[in-house]
Amino acid sequence: MAKINPDFKDELKKYGAFDFNACYNCGHCTAVCSLSTPEDSFPREMVRLSVLGLDENIQTSLKPWLCYYCGECSETCPRQAFPGELMMTLRRWLTAKYDWTGLSGLLYKSLSLSILFFVLLIAGVYYFAVSEQFNVEKIMHIGHYFEMFAIIGVFSIIILPNIIRMWYFTIVKSGYKIKFNTYIKKFGELIVHMFTQKRALGCDDNQIRWFEHLILVIGYLALLFTTVVLDWFGTDNDFIIVLGYVESALIFIVTFIFIFERSKKTTELSSHSHPSDWFFVIWLFLMGLSAFFVRIFIDTGLIHQNLWMYLFHLTVLVQWALIIVPFGKWTHFLYRSFAMYFDALKKTK
Amino acid sequence: MKNKIGVYICHCGGNISDYVDVEKVRDAVKDIEGVEISVDTMFACADSSQKQIFNDIKEKQLDGLVVASCSPKLHYPTFSAVAERAGLNKYNYVHANIREQVSWAHSDNKLGATEKAIQAVKAAIAGVKESISLEPIKIKSQKIVAVIGAGVAGMRAAKELADLGVKVYLIEREYFVGGRVAQLDYLCRVQETGKELVTRMYEAIHKHENITLFTGAEIIEKGGSIGNFKIKLKITPRYIKKDCNEDELKKAIEVCPVEVDDDFNFNITKRKAIYKNYPSEYPQKPAIDIKNCTRCGECEKVCSSIDFNQKEEILDLTVGSILTATGFDPYRPKENEFGWGLDNVVTLPQFRRIINMCDDKLIYNGKEIKEIAYIYCVGSRQVDGENKYCSRYCCTATLYTSILTHKKYKNIHAYHFNRGIRTYGKQEVIYDEVSQLGDIFLQSYEYDPATVEKQGDKTIVKVKDILTNNTEIEVEADLVVLVTGMEPRKDNSIGDVLKIPKGRDRFYNEIHMKLRPVETVIDGITIAGACQGPKNILESVNSALSAATKSYSIVNTGELALEPIIASVNEDTCTWCGLCADACPYDAIELINKNGKDIAEINKSVCKGCGMCLPVCESDSIEMSGFTNNIIENMISAYADI
């Protein structure tokens, strides 16, 4: 027994969906989807649940994460209901549902609130720089520590509880009892999907998109490792320095392509951009680019006269680490891989 | 007796001549007495062959024609037309089928086939010898059409006929015109209300010198036949004087103490015994519903225009054709059918009236309505009931109604419990529009329809939604709207008076679904609009115009030419047993008394020449022109070589 909630679609529209109510359930979208299978059939089912407002069923479903958005469903839809964009919206909505703080939802729904947070963090970084009297060494030192603590803090306080919530909704609440052994046995799925996104290869559109994405993920994780663990900005090791240059360059080149595609709306998947999508690609781009220049400034000895360069990088980093990573689009990196992991667990039944 | 007969035997390319020795057939019949020429031809139907037959008839002065070729279904009309063009009466032409009945049937036996073909042609020659020239039966026709029903179809047809110069009697049973359309407010896809449409039509017919409108009028008897129907019209008076005082009449309505259910609003409101359905209704005079009037006299005290002395009138009219546009009744749900009987369950027609009456807030039974559940196919596409048909108009009407509610009131949520939406043709855009508005569609199979039940003071509609994997889904509704289909009029007495046959669906039946959609088997009576089957306004008007044209074609020249192949009675031998009248499917045979003797008489304008009366006649007193006993017997003899 399920009760219709007609207001749910208004809620979803705040997360970016539109016109999905036009759906007349022909199922074209599901038929053309190259990832949809008889066991995991989407997107029509998700469109239907969204139209009826059966949010409980969506919350316990992993299907939104099983879609890698090639956009073919939206292109084929005879009613222009944009099922692909709805799936994207449901991922935002799920991200907000998993987030125990509730901040995620607020930021997704309100652009002005997001901007306010970004501005507050700019002020915070400036205040910090002033209180440290613009001491380059000290600021860069603390900046390095911030990275480490931010990673640990955000992961343990926000992300880990949220993943546990995701597990609770999708496994426990939807009635699955899975043996501990199975969790161990299937753990490989998580790692494989996290580092390869191999499921995206099943999308019909093109393999270039998957490759760009793979480069970005590897580049991003490697740069994270290089800056935090290998202390890129502090090291004298030539190999590490070059490695950092390569990684940051990869990031800003790939994200530049993404930004270009989104602004030109070259494909179906790049034609509908929610603010959170823009924040994600632009900040990644800025991070890669500013890190690149900070290291150039260090190598050319310009950094002491041009602390603003580092402060700019630090601001982008702080905004990234405190807004986009815990409450923004970054989390899809984890949720997607966990969804594949959980899906594999469910399939063992 | 014809003695200059032309015989043409067709090869049909090879279809015939591959199995039948056509030359042998030609030679076998050429010396028969009376045969002028016997010719074989590669394709008798080819232009050149037709020309040859034409020339032969002209030059050789042929008085009979036989073509032996394919089935008469295919080319009888071709060769009878050739005969006519050449000045030979077409009833002096006999067709022999030597393809379907000979060459194709006996492809395994060429000798036998040839022999049979020879006999078939001989029989045809024997038939043609005895054939008689016949002329169409001409009857006078009144240049008047009676249009029954002044709804949108009737009024449109009346206007069309009147514009073509035909006199029209427009006969309406109610006191006001407009029928079902008057009950509608905004109409889908036109920026007009039903009332505006009715007003426009009324003004057109009201001014028209060729149209006489009768209200409160019913046909109680029909006699005669095509061209000359005699109808008896019963007219119930309005009990209001001709020159009436409008202000006083308003007062009269106010003071009337009698309150009855208002049919016009589908019984959701009451009206007085002296009434008008809505202020600008046409004709503009109110009427007194005499069945419910108690004769208390209150109205007479305030109004001088009341006249209870008016009497029922009976008029005898003669018309050439009758156009029936008597419309439909909305289906009335049975007790408990989808919650029918609960205080917040209404039908779609009722809901349209409610919307019409509520301005900025949708209120029914004192409660504001926000959540509306529409249940489709109530009384249509029934699994158990007898209404197996789809009522066509309802999906579109409901979706359009939903658009109206969204436009007129705020925060309406609508749920459509349907069995598949059928907004066919151009109406699909309405479905699209409603989807965009956020209405929710739930679909079920016919054997598992939605249910409506009260839980405390809540009304819950439940359905196993096939679009959501058969999940049981429930909606709490403020108002349940049953989308009721169309049914034939409950009071369909006019159909019995006119003897219009009904189909299995109980609507009036046309002759042919596709090719003769507005004619009935009763010659001269046409049908239009929803009395024939569910139709929307556009379709009703379409059929009305088509029926008007058909009726016009009957009356326009003032004369009718009827097919002369009909039955006739031998007055000397007939002793009236009545068997023929029982066998006649067209009611064309009547008992008359001629010179003190009871005999059967055939109504020439009604008889269709079907021949059903012939075999039942024990005294063999009935002959069919064109197929007389003499002709048939001769043909049989020739066939059997006796």
Side-chain angles (χ1 to χ4, degrees):
Chain A
M1 177 70 64
K3 204 161 178 181
I4 294 183
N5 174 11
D7 298 324
F8 182 65
K9 52 182 170 287
D10 299 327
E11 171 79 0
L12 275 189
K13 281 178 184 165
K14 293 180 194 156
Y15 284 88
F18 48 90
D19 291 349
F20 61 94
N21 214 76
C23 171
Y24 58 14
N25 290 287
C26 64
H28 260 76
C29 48
T30 304
V32 298
C33 178
S34 47
L35 292 179
S36 173
T37 60
E39 303 82 48
D40 286 316
S41 154
F42 60 88
R44 191 204 69 87
E45 188 191 296
M46 284 294 133
V47 179
R48 184 67 186 156
L49 294 175
S50 306
V51 167
L52 297 182
L54 304 182
D55 48 349
E56 286 276 307
N57 301 41
I58 301 172
Q59 199 180 331
T60 53
S61 173
L62 288 168
K63 287 180 187 175
W65 299 112
L66 301 185
C67 156
Y68 278 74
Y69 203 169
C70 63
E72 210 177 335
C73 51
S74 294
E75 283 163 356
T76 327
C77 177
R79 297 279 277 189
Q80 284 82 48
F82 296 102
E85 197 50 30
L86 176 79
M87 294 297 275
M88 185 71 217
T89 303
L90 288 179
R91 289 193 283 277
R92 287 180 203 125
W93 181 80
L94 281 176
T95 304
K97 282 282 134 181
Y98 298 155
D99 180 25
W100 65 272
T101 64
L103 264 175
S104 209
L106 292 177
L107 293 174
Y108 270 126
K109 285 190 274 186
S110 166
L111 176 60
S112 39
L113 192 70
S114 302
I115 292 172
L116 178 72
F117 269 52
F118 279 106
V119 172
L120 280 177
L121 289 180
I122 294 171
V125 171
Y126 184 73
Y127 175 78
F128 157 70
V130 170
S131 63
E132 296 298 337
Q133 289 138 19
F134 297 98
N135 180 322
V136 177
E137 262 80 36
K138 204 156 178 213
I139 288 173
M140 285 184 71
H141 184 68
I142 294 175
H144 185 220
Y145 273 97
F146 167 78
E147 285 180 25
M148 286 193 277
F149 285 114
I151 290 171
I152 295 164
V154 165
F155 184 75
S156 56
I157 297 169
I158 310 289
I159 292 174
L160 189 62
N162 287 353
I163 287 177
I164 293 171
R165 277 164 67 84
M166 177 191 185
W167 167 79
Y168 174 74
F169 292 142
T170 58
I171 302 278
V172 181
K173 218 172 161 191
S174 54
Y176 283 88
K177 287 198 176 68
I178 288 151
K179 285 194 197 106
F180 185 72
N181 263 351
T182 318
Y183 282 97
I184 308 276
K185 253 190 248 165
K186 292 283 168 189
F187 194 72
E189 293 280 330
L190 176 66
I191 304 302
V192 168
H193 283 284
M194 190 179 285
F195 290 98
T196 66
Q197 298 85 43
K198 71 169 187 188
R199 183 176 166 83
L201 274 170
C203 276
D204 269 344
D205 55 343
N206 62 40
Q207 314 310 323
I208 297 172
R209 184 165 72 96
W210 168 79
F211 186 68
E212 287 169 342
H213 193 270
L214 182 74
I215 295 284
L216 188 62
V217 172
I218 301 293
Y220 171 77
L221 292 174
L223 184 66
L224 197 68
F225 184 78
T226 312
T227 47
V228 177
V229 181
L230 304 179
D231 190 17
W232 184 35
F233 292 154
T235 188
D236 293 328
N237 183 317
D238 286 345
F239 175 74
I240 296 173
I241 293 170
V242 174
L243 184 69
Y245 275 128
V246 173
E247 290 159 354
S248 51
L250 282 178
I251 292 175
F252 70 72
I253 290 166
V254 174
T255 46
F256 178 79
I257 296 170
F258 286 176
I259 292 170
F260 177 81
E261 283 173 353
R262 278 198 185 273
S263 56
K264 290 281 175 205
K265 305 188 175 187
T266 52
T267 58
E268 174 60 34
L269 92 135
S270 62
S271 9
H272 315 280
S273 299
H274 187 264
S276 60
D277 300 324
W278 284 120
F279 288 143
F280 185 73
V281 285
I282 292 173
W283 256 251
L284 248 183
F285 171 75
L286 292 177
M287 250 189 0
L289 194 69
S290 61
F292 191 82
F293 276 101
V294 166
R295 187 61 231 191
I296 287 183
F297 277 34
I298 293 170
D299 288 342
T300 52
L302 288 171
I303 196 74
H304 288 273
Q305 284 75 45
N306 295 284
L307 181 62
W308 62 269
M309 188 64 236
Y310 181 72
L311 285 180
F312 175 75
H313 173 68
L314 185 63
T315 310
V316 171
L317 187 76
V318 168
Q319 289 166 331
W320 174 261
L322 297 185
I323 301 175
I324 298 172
V325 172
F327 308 116
K329 194 180 176 175
W330 184 89
T331 44
H332 83 277
F333 164 66
L334 285 180
Y335 293 146
R336 270 199 187 289
S337 19
F338 272 95
M340 291 311 299
Y341 177 42
F342 293 157
D343 190 53
L345 293 178
K346 282 185 175 186
K347 296 242 166 75
T348 58
K349 285 278 156 180
Chain B
M1 185 76 105
K2 309 296 175 201
N3 53 16
K4 287 186 118 185
I5 300 164
V7 181
Y8 298 84
I9 298 145
C10 182
H11 290 247
C12 197
N15 271 301
I16 294 170
S17 54
D18 283 355
Y19 311 105
V20 172
D21 186 344
V22 172
E23 284 83 9
K24 196 174 171 191
V25 177
R26 180 197 63 199
D27 295 340
V29 301
K30 74 171 197 282
D31 296 328
I32 293 177
E33 192 195 337
V35 173
E36 178 80 12
I37 47 163
S38 176
V39 188
D40 64 304
T41 162
M42 187 49 75
F43 284 108
C45 56
D47 276 355
S48 55
S49 306
Q50 288 192 34
K51 205 159 192 179
Q52 193 203 337
I53 300 173
F54 177 91
N55 290 337
D56 288 351
I57 295 173
K58 286 258 176 193
E59 286 162 16
K60 301 195 162 68
Q61 300 273 302
L62 299 182
D63 58 2
L65 175 65
V66 170
V67 179
S69 61
C70 53
S71 160
K73 282 263 176 197
L74 202 62
H75 279 309
Y76 178 84
T78 314
F79 300 118
S80 65
V82 173
E84 265 199 322
R85 282 205 301 276
L88 179 67
N89 186 287
K90 67 174 176 182
Y91 300 97
N92 292 324
Y93 157 60
V94 173
H95 192 102
N97 179 355
I98 57 165
R99 192 179 73 176
E100 281 82 348
Q101 289 179 357
V102 181
S103 69
W104 285 357
H106 306 292
S107 54
D108 57 336
N109 182 355
K110 292 185 185 181
L111 284 177
T114 305
E115 207 173 311
K116 186 175 174 186
I118 292 170
Q119 296 311 106
V121 178
K122 279 184 180 170
I125 293 167
V128 112
K129 269 189 190 169
E130 300 299 323
S131 66
I132 300 158
S133 302
L134 298 171
E135 293 303 327
I137 299 166
K138 300 248 164 114
I139 55 164
K140 282 229 166 297
S141 168
Q142 295 289 328
K143 213 174 166 178
I144 306 171
V145 175
V147 175
I148 309 172
V152 71
M155 288 202 283
R156 188 66 190 85
K159 164 89 166 56
E160 196 62 23
L161 285 162
D163 285 347
L164 289 167
V166 174
K167 212 168 146 40
V168 177
Y169 298 136
L170 182 55
I171 300 161
E172 173 55 55
R173 184 163 67 184
E174 303 293 322
Y175 289 111
F176 305 98
V177 301
R180 296 292 177 201
V181 173
Q183 291 171 299
L184 295 167
D185 42 15
Y186 282 97
L187 302 174
C188 107
R189 294 176 61 77
V190 286
Q191 301 306 314
E192 251 176 319
T193 63
K195 284 174 199 170
E196 283 164 356
L197 217 65
V198 167
T199 306
R200 190 129 71 85
M201 290 307 305
Y202 179 78
E203 303 211 311
I205 60 164
H206 184 58
K207 285 185 212 139
H208 215 297
E209 54 177 17
N210 282 343
I211 301 176
T212 315
L213 171 69
F214 300 96
T215 54
E218 246 181 299
I219 296 181
I220 49 169
E221 253 181 67
K222 182 214 82 173
S225 54
I226 182 166
N228 289 286
F229 288 109
K230 314 260 184 262
I231 53 177
K232 224 182 239 319
L233 203 59
K234 184 180 90 179
I235 302 172
T236 351
R238 298 174 102 84
Y239 303 99
I240 309 284
K241 285 179 190 160
K242 263 216 166 100
D243 305 306
C244 57
N245 182 325
E246 279 196 30
D247 293 332
E248 286 184 8
L249 277 168
K250 268 185 203 155
K251 270 187 215 149
I253 296 174
E254 270 169 41
V255 299
C256 176
V258 181
E259 281 204 334
V260 292
D261 280 344
D262 187 354
D263 281 349
F264 187 77
N265 284 337
F266 300 101
N267 303 345
I268 51 176
T269 55
K270 301 274 180 197
R271 68 158 164 80
K272 301 293 180 68
I274 170 167
Y275 72 104
K276 254 174 116 170
N277 291 321
Y278 57 93
S280 58
E281 187 162 37
Y282 289 101
Q284 283 192 316
K285 262 190 289 179
I288 291 176
D289 167 9
I290 204 72
K291 274 184 212 132
N292 288 305
C293 172
T294 57
R295 293 294 191 89
C296 65
E298 288 296 323
C299 53
E300 282 173 300
K301 285 182 200 160
V302 294
C303 178
S304 57
S305 306
I306 310 279
D307 179 8
F308 280 111
N309 292 323
Q310 290 182 355
K311 290 274 175 300
E312 217 172 70
E313 264 182 276
I314 302 285
L315 282 183
D316 286 306
L317 304 170
T318 309
V319 298
S321 171
I322 299 173
L323 189 154
T324 318
T326 50
F328 70 99
D329 274 333
Y331 174 77
R332 266 191 76 80
K334 308 218 159 29
E335 201 58 36
N336 291 327
E337 189 178 1
F338 298 106
W340 183 246
L342 297 178
D343 59 349
N344 55 350
V345 178
V346 297
T347 64
L348 182 68
Q350 286 180 325
F351 187 50
R352 289 297 289 257
R353 299 308 304 155
I354 295 168
I355 296 173
N356 184 259
M357 287 182 268
C358 296
D359 281 334
D360 47 345
K361 272 187 181 175
L362 184 59
I363 291 171
Y364 182 62
N365 275 346
K367 206 182 145 204
E368 189 172 359
I369 308 296
K370 292 283 185 204
E371 311 286 318
I372 305 169
Y374 297 95
I375 299 181
Y376 285 62
C377 297
V378 179
S380 306
R381 304 168 71 197
Q382 288 178 322
V383 178
D384 300 323
E386 52 183 350
N387 300 352
K388 301 293 179 202
Y389 52 84
C390 160
S391 288
R392 286 175 76 79
Y393 91 107
C394 8
C395 281
T396 308
T398 312
L399 295 175
Y400 182 67
T401 304
S402 188
I403 294 176
L404 281 183
T405 59
H406 286 296
K407 277 192 185 153
K408 208 165 173 188
Y409 316 108
K410 284 188 194 111
N411 301 326
I412 296 283
H413 287 137
Y415 309 92
H416 301 262
F417 293 85
N418 66 84
R419 279 168 47 195
I421 295 291
R422 298 179 168 187
T423 43
Y424 57 94
K426 294 182 180 182
Q427 299 162 148
E428 181 72 5
V429 292
I430 291 169
Y431 182 22
D432 203 35
E433 191 180 338
V434 174
S435 309
Q436 302 281 2
L437 283 169
D439 282 15
I440 291 175
F441 293 84
L442 300 126
Q443 199 173 329
S444 63
Y445 292 113
E446 60 272 26
Y447 47 78
D448 214 357
T451 56
V452 180
E453 59 185 64
K454 276 268 179 202
Q455 290 177 3
D457 55 350
K458 288 178 183 168
T459 308
I460 306 289
V461 186
K462 281 187 205 164
V463 75
K464 268 195 188 146
D465 181 30
I466 58 175
L467 302 176
T468 322
N469 205 11
N470 276 326
T471 314
E472 182 153 282
I473 290 188
E474 65 169 51
V475 166
E476 189 187 329
D478 298 330
L479 188 73
V480 177
V481 179
L482 304 186
V483 178
T484 46
M486 289 183 178
E487 280 198 311
R489 289 270 186 195
K490 288 274 169 318
D491 177 3
N492 236 343
S493 49
I494 182 68
D496 300 334
V497 172
L498 299 180
K499 297 204 176 85
I500 307 177
K502 290 169 193 163
R504 234 181 256 175
D505 50 24
R506 304 172 338 277
F507 286 100
Y508 295 145
N509 237 6
E510 62 289 308
I511 293 184
H512 190 281
M513 261 264 196
K514 291 169 172 48
L515 299 176
R516 299 177 75 181
V518 295
E519 294 160 85
T520 65
V521 292
I522 315 289
D523 274 348
I525 297 186
T526 54
I527 46 176
C531 67
Q532 183 201 16
K535 287 187 185 65
N536 64 22
I537 296 175
L538 164 76
E539 292 157 353
S540 284
V541 171
N542 260 339
S543 74
L545 291 174
S546 151
T549 315
K550 206 65 223 176
S551 283
Y552 176 75
S553 74
I554 295 166
V555 302
N556 74 325
T557 57
E559 195 180 61
L560 283 167
L562 303 177
E563 181 68 34
I565 297 185
I566 56 166
S568 59
V569 174
N570 183 338
E571 292 175 7
D572 298 331
T573 53
C574 175
T575 51
W576 181 261
C577 60
L579 286 173
C580 55
D582 293 341
C584 178
Y586 302 101
D587 276 341
I589 305 179
E590 274 182 339
L591 166 68
I592 58 158
N593 190 294
K594 202 165 182 184
N595 307 325
K597 189 180 167 208
D598 278 350
I599 55 164
E601 189 191 53
I602 312 253
N603 184 334
K604 286 183 178 177
S605 50
V606 181
C607 175
K608 296 244 197 286
C610 68
M612 298 288 273
C613 51
L614 271 75
V616 298
C617 181
E618 288 176 347
S619 59
D620 200 10
S621 304
I622 307 178
E623 282 266 51
M624 180 71 67
S625 51
F627 297 95
T628 58
N629 287 352
N630 187 24
I631 292 176
I632 300 293
E633 282 162 9
N634 263 305
M635 287 179 82
I636 294 171
S637 300
Y639 220 128
D641 256 343
I642 305 166

